[in-house]
């Protein structure tokens, strides 16, 4: 910072001269002496300009570092740092038209049943006293079973699931059961083998165990691009897989999917700043998905039914289910109908 050079106090004579000059400036006359004001030197202007540029650069750098620190999985640089250039895919551009806003009556029904402003949703969430957790910590996708039971063509069914046991209940519960392929994401080999044996009993359905990684040739997008053509009927994902599927423009798999289900939590990958309900739902909305809190045969819409608490750091154990408005409009209708039925009960 530039400091003014200290000046000695004025003598009485100098003070009178200064007063006289001040009066002349306030009341100029023809004979008043002209006062020449010193113009700032080039060196001073250069230094001040350099200082302003330096401060601006530092603030911009700090903002960029802060974004990558607090939004790591939603940052392209962090998400694709170790991914070869050839494997990076362009961001998906989809015509965007969001779901209709919730009516006052619908919001009142949501508040009455799963109030997001409840203190249990923001304090000591591990106690599972949040109404959203109590209603959706377990999920039974009856809406999906109903949807596939109504479809005339359920051949060429393709699903990728972390919870293959849950996907099996959907396949086995539909009448007639879909035929096609289910890829079980391997985490626990014993559970994967158990699910594989159970699902292999469904006629016309082949089951494959598949390990996915966060980078390289076996990410969700890379695996889908290399092994699956056309539409994916269902993705049942865990916490980290949601962020991997959304981050860094790698959204090809999601853009081709009719239905996505995932787990919301306060720990693990969800613990990072910026990973709020509002942020993730907005990203899925832009890909065409309408999302709901998913319980035991019950649904509460999140998309276009936003509460301010969804944008805050409050997180609670729950399940979320989303249907693609572009690829599966009849499934959206099925889920919306169940939502209305849920809040009217």
């Amino acid at each position: 910072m530039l400091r003014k050079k200290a000046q000695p106090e004025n003598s009485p004579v100098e003070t009178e001269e200064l007063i006289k000059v001040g009066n002349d400036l306030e009341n100029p006359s023809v004979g008043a002496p002209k006062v020449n004001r010193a113009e700032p030197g080039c060196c001073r202007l250069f230094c001040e300009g350099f200082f302003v540029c330096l401060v601006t650069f530092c603030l911009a750098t700090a903002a960029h570092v802060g974004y990558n620190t607090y939004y790591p999985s939603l940052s392209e640089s962090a998400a694709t740092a170790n991914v070869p250039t050839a494997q990076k895919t362009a961001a998906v551009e989809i015509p965007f038209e969001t779901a209709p806003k919730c009516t006052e009556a619908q919001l009142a029904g949501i508040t009455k049943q799963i109030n997001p402003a409840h203190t249990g949703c923001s304090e000591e969430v591990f106690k599972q006293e949040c109404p959203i957790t109590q209603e959706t910590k377990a999920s039974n996708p009856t809406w999906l079973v109903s949807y596939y039971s109504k479809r005339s063509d359920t051949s060429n069914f393709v699903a990728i699931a972390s919870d293959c046991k849950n996907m099996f209940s959907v396949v086995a519960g539909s009448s007639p059961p879909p035929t096609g392929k289910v890829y079980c994401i391997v985490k626990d080999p014993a559970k994967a083998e158990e699910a594989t044996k159970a699902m292999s009993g469904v006629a016309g359905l082949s089951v494959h165990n598949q390990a996915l990684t966060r980078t390289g040739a076996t990410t969700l997008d890379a695996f889908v691009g290399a092994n699956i053509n056309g539409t994916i009927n269902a993705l049942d994902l865990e916490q980290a897989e949601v962020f991997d599927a959304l981050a860094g423009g790698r959204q090809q798999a999601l853009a081709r999917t009719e239905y996505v289900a995932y787990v919301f939590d306060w720990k693990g990958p969800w613990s990072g700043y910026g990973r709020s309900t509002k942020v993730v739902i907005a990203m899925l909305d832009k890909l065409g998905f309408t999302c709901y809190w998913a319980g035991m045969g019950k649904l509460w819409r999140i998309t276009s039914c936003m509460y301010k608490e969804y944008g805050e750091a409050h997180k609670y154990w729950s399940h979320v289910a989303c249907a693609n408005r572009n690829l599966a409009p009849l499934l959206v209708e099925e889920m919306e109908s169940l939502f209305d039925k849920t809040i009217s009960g």
Side-chain angles (χ1 to χ4, degrees), residues 111-128:
T111 302
K112 180 180 178 181
Q113 295 181 353
I114 57 166
N115 184 15
H118 189 282
T119 55
C121 301
S122 58
E123 300 175 8
E124 298 182 311
V125 292
F126 58 87
K127 291 184 177 180
Q128 299 183 22

Side-chain angles (χ1 to χ4, degrees), residues 177-254:
T179 58
K181 295 182 179 179
V182 174
Y183 296 91
C184 295
I185 301 174
V186 177
K187 288 188 175 65
D188 185 331
K191 289 184 178 180
E193 186 64 26
E194 179 184 348
T196 299
K197 288 180 179 179
M199 296 183 75
S200 295
V202 180
L205 189 72
S206 62
V207 184
H208 309 266
N209 290 332
Q210 176 64 42
L212 296 182
T213 57
R214 305 193 72 175
T215 59
T218 52
T219 61
L220 177 62
D221 251 24
F223 171 74
V224 168
N227 297 277
I228 300 174
N229 296 320
T231 300
I232 302 167
N233 298 100
L235 279 176
D236 191 333
L237 304 174
E238 292 289 347
Q239 306 162 18
E241 293 151 5
V242 177
F243 297 112
D244 291 341
L246 286 170
R250 295 178 295 169
Q251 301 166 354
Q252 300 293 332
L254 285 172

Side-chain angles (χ1 to χ4, degrees), residues 55-71 75:
V55 170
T56 303
F57 174 78
C58 291
L59 290 174
T61 302
H64 178 72
V65 172
Y67 180 84
N68 287 335
T69 299
Y70 294 116
Y71 297 78
S75 166

Side-chain angles (χ1 to χ4, degrees), residues 37-283:
R37 299 186 179 182
E39 297 292 336
C42 293
C43 182
R44 177 180 171 182
L45 289 174
F46 175 80
C47 291
E48 289 180 347
F50 177 78
F51 178 75
V52 170
C53 292
L54 180 62
V55 170
T56 303
F57 174 78
C58 291
L59 290 174
T61 302
H64 178 72
V65 172
Y67 180 84
N68 287 335
T69 299
Y70 294 116
Y71 297 78
S73 284
L74 302 181
S75 166
E76 180 173 6
S77 59
T80 61
N82 299 317
V83 181
T85 302
Q87 294 178 6
K88 295 181 182 179
T89 56
V92 180
E93 294 294 336
I94 295 176
F96 176 64
E97 183 178 350
T98 190
K101 285 188 177 181
C102 268
T103 64
E104 291 297 325
Q106 288 174 323
L107 289 172
I110 294 172
T111 302
K112 180 180 178 181
Q113 295 181 353
I114 57 166
N115 184 15
H118 189 282
T119 55
C121 301
S122 58
E123 300 175 8
E124 298 182 311
V125 292
F126 58 87
K127 291 184 177 180
Q128 299 183 22
E129 294 176 353
C130 175
I132 296 176
T133 298
Q134 292 177 351
E135 290 286 355
T136 68
K137 62 183 177 182
S139 178
N140 180 15
T142 57
W143 51 89
L144 205 54
V145 173
S146 176
Y147 170 67
Y148 282 113
S149 296
K150 293 176 182 177
R151 286 185 60 168
S152 58
D153 181 13
T154 56
S155 61
N156 300 317
F157 177 81
V158 177
I160 302 174
S162 289
D163 187 352
C164 264
K165 189 175 181 181
N166 196 32
M167 187 57 63
F168 171 68
S169 69
V170 172
V171 172
S174 301
S175 180
T179 58
K181 295 182 179 179
V182 174
Y183 296 91
C184 295
I185 301 174
V186 177
K187 288 188 175 65
D188 185 331
K191 289 184 178 180
E193 186 64 26
E194 179 184 348
T196 299
K197 288 180 179 179
M199 296 183 75
S200 295
V202 180
L205 189 72
S206 62
V207 184
H208 309 266
N209 290 332
Q210 176 64 42
L212 296 182
T213 57
R214 305 193 72 175
T215 59
T218 52
T219 61
L220 177 62
D221 251 24
F223 171 74
V224 168
N227 297 277
I228 300 174
N229 296 320
T231 300
I232 302 167
N233 298 100
L235 279 176
D236 191 333
L237 304 174
E238 292 289 347
Q239 306 162 18
E241 293 151 5
V242 177
F243 297 112
D244 291 341
L246 286 170
R250 295 178 295 169
Q251 301 166 354
Q252 300 293 332
L254 285 172
R256 292 165 51 186
T257 301
E258 291 184 342
Y259 175 83
V260 174
Y262 64 89
V263 178
F264 185 62
D265 208 340
W266 69 86
K267 55 188 178 180
W270 282 107
S271 61
Y273 286 97
R275 297 171 178 180
S276 65
T277 298
K278 182 177 180 180
V279 168
V280 176
I281 294 300
M283 296 182 78

